[in-house]
Amino acid sequence: MSLSGKKKGKLLVLGGTGFLGQTICKRALLEGYDVTSLSRRGLPPDAVESSAPVDYRTGDAREKESISDILNEGGYTGVLHCIGLLFDDESGLGQYNAFVSGSGSLPDSKSTYDTITRLTGFNAIEAAAEYAEGRDKPLPFCFTSAAEAGWPDVRGGKQVERFLTPKWLRRYLSAKRAVEKKLLSMEPTLRPIIVRPSLIYSLDRPQAAYIPVGAFFVGNKVGLPFVDRPVTVQALACAMIRSMDRDTVSGVQRYKEIDQLNQ
Protein backbone atom coordinates (compact mmCIF):
# COMPACT_ATOMS: atom_id res chain seq x y z
CA MET A 1 0.00 0.00 0.00
CA SER A 2 1.37 3.40 -0.95
CA LEU A 3 1.48 6.43 1.35
CA SER A 4 0.22 8.69 -1.42
CA GLY A 5 -2.73 6.57 -2.47
CA LYS A 6 -1.88 7.00 -6.15
CA LYS A 7 0.67 5.59 -8.57
CA LYS A 8 3.55 7.79 -9.71
CA GLY A 9 4.90 5.66 -12.53
CA LYS A 10 7.78 3.21 -12.63
CA LEU A 11 11.29 3.42 -11.24
CA LEU A 12 14.26 1.37 -12.36
CA VAL A 13 16.53 0.48 -9.45
CA LEU A 14 19.94 -0.80 -10.51
CA GLY A 15 21.30 -3.00 -7.77
CA GLY A 16 17.89 -3.48 -6.19
CA THR A 17 18.87 -6.67 -4.35
CA GLY A 18 21.72 -5.12 -2.36
CA PHE A 19 21.72 -3.62 1.13
CA LEU A 20 20.67 -0.15 -0.02
CA GLY A 21 18.79 -1.34 -3.10
CA GLN A 22 16.33 -3.50 -1.18
CA THR A 23 15.48 -0.59 1.11
CA ILE A 24 15.04 1.73 -1.88
CA CYS A 25 12.62 -0.71 -3.50
CA LYS A 26 10.55 -0.98 -0.33
CA ARG A 27 10.44 2.80 0.09
CA ALA A 28 9.49 3.33 -3.55
CA LEU A 29 6.50 1.02 -3.16
CA LEU A 30 5.38 2.96 -0.08
CA GLU A 31 5.68 6.24 -1.97
CA GLY A 32 3.43 5.01 -4.78
CA TYR A 33 5.81 3.79 -7.47
CA ASP A 34 5.94 0.56 -9.39
CA VAL A 35 9.46 -0.80 -9.17
CA THR A 36 11.73 -2.78 -11.45
CA SER A 37 15.02 -4.05 -10.05
CA LEU A 38 17.95 -5.12 -12.19
CA SER A 39 20.78 -7.10 -10.64
CA ARG A 40 22.96 -10.10 -11.35
CA ARG A 41 21.43 -11.84 -8.37
CA GLY A 42 17.88 -11.41 -9.69
CA LEU A 43 15.99 -12.04 -6.48
CA PRO A 44 17.14 -10.94 -3.03
CA PRO A 45 17.97 -13.84 -0.72
CA ASP A 46 14.68 -13.76 1.20
CA ALA A 47 12.32 -12.96 -1.69
CA VAL A 48 9.53 -15.19 -2.94
CA GLU A 49 9.13 -14.51 -6.66
CA SER A 50 5.40 -15.26 -6.85
CA SER A 51 4.53 -12.78 -4.10
CA ALA A 52 7.15 -10.06 -4.59
CA PRO A 53 5.60 -6.68 -5.48
CA VAL A 54 8.91 -5.66 -7.07
CA ASP A 55 9.56 -6.75 -10.65
CA TYR A 56 12.93 -8.42 -10.15
CA ARG A 57 15.01 -8.89 -13.30
CA THR A 58 18.25 -10.80 -13.66
CA GLY A 59 20.87 -9.03 -15.74
CA ASP A 60 24.28 -7.39 -15.78
CA ALA A 61 24.44 -3.58 -15.86
CA ARG A 62 27.96 -3.89 -17.24
CA GLU A 63 26.08 -4.58 -20.47
CA LYS A 64 24.24 -1.44 -21.56
CA GLU A 65 21.56 -3.41 -23.42
CA SER A 66 20.38 -4.94 -20.14
CA ILE A 67 19.39 -1.47 -19.00
CA SER A 68 18.14 -0.13 -22.33
CA ASP A 69 15.86 -3.10 -22.92
CA ILE A 70 14.04 -2.47 -19.66
CA LEU A 71 13.72 1.29 -20.13
CA ASN A 72 12.42 0.84 -23.67
CA GLU A 73 9.42 -1.00 -22.24
CA GLY A 74 8.22 2.51 -21.36
CA GLY A 75 6.53 4.15 -18.42
CA TYR A 76 9.67 4.87 -16.40
CA THR A 77 9.78 8.14 -14.48
CA GLY A 78 13.20 7.79 -12.86
CA VAL A 79 16.37 5.73 -12.50
CA LEU A 80 18.36 5.02 -9.33
CA HIS A 81 21.87 3.56 -9.38
CA CYS A 82 22.99 1.84 -6.19
CA ILE A 83 25.43 -0.72 -7.57
CA GLY A 84 28.73 -0.69 -5.76
CA LEU A 85 31.24 -2.38 -3.54
CA LEU A 86 33.69 -1.13 -0.94
CA PHE A 87 36.54 -3.55 -1.64
CA ASP A 88 37.15 -4.73 -5.19
CA ASP A 89 39.13 -7.79 -6.19
CA GLU A 90 42.22 -5.74 -7.03
CA SER A 91 42.33 -4.23 -3.53
CA GLY A 92 43.27 -7.59 -2.05
CA LEU A 93 40.51 -7.06 0.52
CA GLY A 94 37.60 -8.48 -1.47
CA GLN A 95 36.95 -11.26 1.03
CA TYR A 96 35.99 -8.67 3.65
CA ASN A 97 32.95 -7.54 1.65
CA ALA A 98 31.04 -10.36 3.33
CA PHE A 99 31.41 -8.40 6.57
CA VAL A 100 31.07 -4.79 5.38
CA SER A 101 28.34 -5.40 2.80
CA GLY A 102 24.83 -5.38 4.21
CA SER A 103 23.81 -8.03 1.67
CA GLY A 104 26.89 -10.21 2.20
CA SER A 105 27.99 -10.03 -1.44
CA LEU A 106 31.45 -11.07 -2.59
CA PRO A 107 33.21 -9.72 -5.71
CA ASP A 108 34.59 -11.93 -8.44
CA SER A 109 37.76 -11.32 -10.41
CA LYS A 110 35.89 -9.05 -12.84
CA SER A 111 34.36 -6.95 -10.07
CA THR A 112 36.55 -3.86 -9.99
CA TYR A 113 35.75 -0.25 -9.22
CA ASP A 114 36.07 0.43 -12.92
CA THR A 115 33.52 -2.19 -13.97
CA ILE A 116 31.12 -2.18 -11.02
CA THR A 117 31.03 1.58 -10.44
CA ARG A 118 32.25 3.44 -13.52
CA LEU A 119 31.10 1.11 -16.30
CA THR A 120 27.65 0.37 -14.85
CA GLY A 121 27.21 4.05 -14.07
CA PHE A 122 28.17 5.17 -17.57
CA ASN A 123 25.94 2.52 -19.14
CA ALA A 124 22.98 3.54 -17.01
CA ILE A 125 23.45 7.24 -17.67
CA GLU A 126 23.74 6.75 -21.43
CA ALA A 127 20.74 4.40 -21.56
CA ALA A 128 18.65 6.80 -19.47
CA ALA A 129 19.63 9.79 -21.62
CA GLU A 130 18.66 7.93 -24.78
CA TYR A 131 15.34 6.94 -23.23
CA ALA A 132 14.67 10.51 -22.00
CA GLU A 133 15.51 12.24 -25.28
CA GLY A 134 12.60 14.41 -26.36
CA ARG A 135 10.75 14.29 -23.03
CA ASP A 136 8.94 17.37 -21.76
CA LYS A 137 11.19 17.57 -18.69
CA PRO A 138 14.44 16.02 -17.50
CA LEU A 139 14.36 12.43 -16.30
CA PRO A 140 15.58 12.19 -12.69
CA PHE A 141 18.64 9.99 -12.28
CA CYS A 142 20.00 9.36 -8.77
CA PHE A 143 23.54 8.07 -8.30
CA THR A 144 24.85 6.75 -5.00
CA SER A 145 28.28 8.26 -4.54
CA ALA A 146 30.24 8.73 -1.31
CA ALA A 147 30.90 11.64 1.04
CA GLU A 148 34.62 11.17 0.51
CA ALA A 149 34.20 12.00 -3.18
CA GLY A 150 33.79 15.59 -2.00
CA TRP A 151 37.07 15.74 -0.09
CA PRO A 152 38.71 18.11 -2.60
CA ASP A 153 35.99 20.66 -1.80
CA VAL A 154 36.48 20.76 1.99
CA ARG A 155 39.28 22.07 4.21
CA GLY A 156 41.95 19.47 4.72
CA GLY A 157 40.35 17.00 2.34
CA LYS A 158 42.97 17.14 -0.38
CA GLN A 159 45.75 16.55 2.14
CA VAL A 160 43.92 13.61 3.70
CA GLU A 161 43.41 12.01 0.31
CA ARG A 162 46.95 12.64 -0.89
CA PHE A 163 48.90 11.56 2.18
CA LEU A 164 46.66 9.32 4.29
CA THR A 165 44.37 7.52 1.86
CA PRO A 166 45.25 3.98 0.72
CA LYS A 167 45.52 3.27 -2.99
CA TRP A 168 42.34 1.18 -3.12
CA LEU A 169 40.30 4.05 -1.67
CA ARG A 170 41.73 6.52 -4.17
CA ARG A 171 40.67 4.19 -7.00
CA TYR A 172 37.23 3.81 -5.38
CA LEU A 173 36.79 7.60 -5.25
CA SER A 174 38.13 8.09 -8.78
CA ALA A 175 35.40 5.80 -10.14
CA LYS A 176 32.71 7.61 -8.13
CA ARG A 177 33.87 11.00 -9.37
CA ALA A 178 33.96 9.82 -12.98
CA VAL A 179 30.29 8.83 -12.78
CA GLU A 180 29.37 12.08 -11.04
CA LYS A 181 31.04 14.08 -13.82
CA LYS A 182 29.32 12.04 -16.53
CA LEU A 183 25.91 12.45 -14.90
CA LEU A 184 26.28 16.21 -14.45
CA SER A 185 27.21 16.55 -18.13
CA MET A 186 23.83 15.09 -19.14
CA GLU A 187 21.76 18.08 -18.11
CA PRO A 188 19.13 19.02 -19.22
CA THR A 189 18.17 15.61 -20.63
CA LEU A 190 18.62 14.13 -17.17
CA ARG A 191 18.13 15.74 -13.75
CA PRO A 192 21.28 14.64 -11.93
CA ILE A 193 20.92 13.76 -8.25
CA ILE A 194 24.12 12.69 -6.51
CA VAL A 195 23.75 11.44 -2.96
CA ARG A 196 26.99 11.43 -1.00
CA PRO A 197 26.43 9.47 2.18
CA SER A 198 29.17 8.74 4.66
CA LEU A 199 28.86 5.44 6.52
CA ILE A 200 25.47 3.82 6.05
CA TYR A 201 23.97 1.76 8.84
CA SER A 202 20.60 0.16 9.51
CA LEU A 203 18.11 0.80 12.28
CA ASP A 204 17.45 -2.94 12.17
CA ARG A 205 21.06 -3.78 12.97
CA PRO A 206 22.63 -0.82 14.83
CA GLN A 207 25.00 -3.06 16.79
CA ALA A 208 26.75 -4.15 13.57
CA ALA A 209 28.36 -0.73 13.16
CA TYR A 210 28.76 0.69 16.67
CA ILE A 211 32.50 1.41 16.49
CA PRO A 212 32.91 2.91 12.97
CA VAL A 213 29.59 4.74 13.04
CA GLY A 214 30.32 6.10 16.50
CA ALA A 215 33.73 7.32 15.40
CA PHE A 216 32.25 9.16 12.42
CA PHE A 217 29.55 10.72 14.59
CA VAL A 218 32.22 12.02 16.98
CA GLY A 219 34.45 13.26 14.16
CA ASN A 220 31.57 15.16 12.59
CA LYS A 221 30.45 16.53 15.96
CA VAL A 222 33.87 17.97 16.81
CA GLY A 223 33.99 19.67 13.42
CA LEU A 224 36.41 17.63 11.34
CA PRO A 225 35.63 19.12 7.90
CA PHE A 226 36.28 15.91 5.97
CA VAL A 227 34.05 13.69 8.15
CA ASP A 228 30.32 13.62 7.37
CA ARG A 229 27.77 12.29 9.82
CA PRO A 230 26.62 8.71 9.09
CA VAL A 231 23.09 8.13 7.79
CA THR A 232 20.70 5.23 8.16
CA VAL A 233 19.92 3.18 5.10
CA GLN A 234 16.25 3.94 5.73
CA ALA A 235 16.82 7.72 5.66
CA LEU A 236 19.03 7.52 2.57
CA ALA A 237 16.50 5.40 0.66
CA CYS A 238 13.67 7.76 1.61
CA ALA A 239 15.65 10.78 0.42
CA MET A 240 16.55 9.14 -2.88
CA ILE A 241 12.94 8.20 -3.63
CA ARG A 242 11.55 11.59 -2.65
CA SER A 243 14.09 13.29 -4.91
CA MET A 244 12.45 11.59 -7.87
CA ASP A 245 9.37 13.83 -7.95
CA ARG A 246 10.87 17.01 -6.50
CA ASP A 247 11.98 18.97 -9.53
CA THR A 248 14.09 21.40 -7.48
CA VAL A 249 16.35 18.65 -6.16
CA SER A 250 19.49 18.26 -8.24
CA GLY A 251 23.23 18.09 -7.82
CA VAL A 252 25.09 16.90 -4.75
CA GLN A 253 23.10 15.90 -1.68
CA ARG A 254 25.12 15.51 1.52
CA TYR A 255 23.79 14.41 4.92
CA LYS A 256 22.07 17.75 5.62
CA GLU A 257 20.16 17.58 2.33
CA ILE A 258 19.35 13.92 3.03
CA ASP A 259 17.86 15.04 6.35
CA GLN A 260 15.78 17.72 4.62
CA LEU A 261 14.34 15.26 2.14
CA ASN A 262 13.20 13.10 5.06
CA GLN A 263 11.14 15.92 6.58
Side-chain angles (χ1 to χ4, degrees):
M1 179 179 294
S2 72
L3 297 174
S4 64
K6 62 179 181 180
K7 289 295 184 181
K8 298 180 179 179
K10 291 192 293 186
L11 297 179
L12 175 57
V13 181
L14 302 171
T17 59
F19 174 55
L20 174 58
Q22 290 183 64
T23 310
I24 288 173
C25 290
K26 292 175 183 177
R27 188 71 208 188
L29 293 170
L30 285 173
E31 296 280 347
Y33 292 97
D34 291 320
V35 182
T36 302
S37 163
L38 176 67
S39 69
R40 288 182 292 166
R41 181 183 288 158
L43 287 171
D46 58 350
V48 178
E49 188 169 13
S50 60
S51 62
V54 175
D55 180 7
Y56 290 108
R57 309 284 186 93
T58 302
D60 193 338
R62 291 176 291 191
E63 300 173 359
K64 181 179 170 183
E65 293 76 14
S66 297
I67 305 169
S68 298
D69 288 347
I70 294 175
L71 289 175
N72 289 337
E73 294 171 7
Y76 286 93
T77 56
V79 178
L80 301 100
H81 183 291
C82 52
I83 300 171
L85 76 171
L86 182 57
F87 301 128
D88 71 354
D89 186 68
E90 294 179 4
S91 71
L93 302 169
Q95 68 271 23
Y96 295 111
N97 274 300
F99 302 101
V100 300
S101 167
S103 62
S105 61
L106 286 171
D108 58 28
S109 61
K110 297 180 181 179
S111 298
T112 66
Y113 301 128
D114 186 65
T115 60
I116 296 299
T117 299
R118 187 198 63 80
L119 180 58
T120 66
F122 278 30
N123 284 345
I125 291 166
E126 291 171 4
E130 291 168 5
Y131 170 75
E133 193 67 40
R135 283 170 53 99
D136 294 335
K137 64 178 184 178
L139 179 76
F141 187 111
C142 187
F143 171 65
T144 310
S145 187
E148 295 76 15
W151 274 351
D153 304 324
V154 299
R155 179 169 53 87
K158 290 182 179 180
Q159 288 72 26
V160 167
E161 184 167 346
R162 181 177 179 183
F163 298 110
L164 301 177
T165 302
K167 183 178 180 180
W168 66 264
L169 182 53
R170 291 198 296 270
R171 291 191 297 106
Y172 171 87
L173 296 178
S174 177
K176 292 286 191 184
R177 290 169 183 151
V179 179
E180 288 187 3
K181 183 178 180 180
K182 175 85 168 179
L183 179 55
L184 290 170
S185 74
M186 288 297 178
E187 288 186 283
T189 303
L190 302 180
R191 173 163 58 90
I193 304 155
I194 299 166
V195 291
R196 282 185 181 167
S198 179
L199 290 184
I200 306 170
Y201 66 103
S202 175
L203 292 172
D204 299 330
R205 293 177 292 170
Q207 70 280 1
Y210 272 146
I211 295 177
V213 169
F216 271 64
F217 266 109
V218 171
N220 179 255
K221 189 68 174 179
V222 300
L224 293 178
F226 49 86
V227 178
D228 275 13
R229 195 197 71 215
V231 298
T232 67
V233 68
Q234 292 83 4
L236 179 58
C238 179
M240 293 172 72
I241 292 302
R242 290 185 174 175
S243 73
M244 291 289 98
D245 66 353
R246 299 189 183 184
D247 293 344
T248 58
V249 177
S250 65
V252 173
Q253 313 293 306
R254 293 177 63 187
Y255 71 95
K256 292 181 179 179
E257 290 76 25
I258 291 169
D259 285 348
Q260 291 171 0
L261 284 164
N262 273 268
Q263 295 173 2

